[in-house]
Amino acid sequence: NENPIRTLNIKNSQINSMKYIAKSASFAVAANPDVAVYEVNSDVDIPTEVYQGHTGNVTSINFDSDYRIMHTTSEDGSIKSWEIGENEETGSFKLGSAIGDAVILNGEKLITAD
């Protein structure tokens, strides 16, 4: 049994989803109501980036194939797209009811699940 590489302690929120970003040796954490990015090889629980804009629990994180764009879903009924490294929202789509997960196909087609 190996010990984990890193243990993350987040105060004031639960972790809803985590995704590894191989391009930058970091990982994105979906919480309430933000997404934070942390370095894998760090002992510090301070994010290197924070993506703010959802008003409810962020339920999932997905990336395009080259990790330039991150897509997030939320219990606030929205799907947001973000440019990685810029902390900038590049698009938003509102469904009106909580979204558990979504898949973006070729940047064009959207599949959602609750």
Side-chain angles (χ1 to χ4, degrees), residues 54 74-79 93-99:
H54 286 291
S74 174
E75 290 178 351
D76 67 10
S78 69
I79 299 170
F93 182 78
K94 187 87 168 161
L95 287 179
S97 61
I99 304 169

Side-chain angles (χ1 to χ4, degrees), residues 4 7 10 15 23 28 30-31 34 36 40 44 50 59-60 73 86 107 113:
T7 300
I10 295 183
I15 295 174
K23 180 177 177 179
D34 305 323
V40 170
V44 179
V50 177
T59 54
S60 72
T73 62
E86 300 297 321

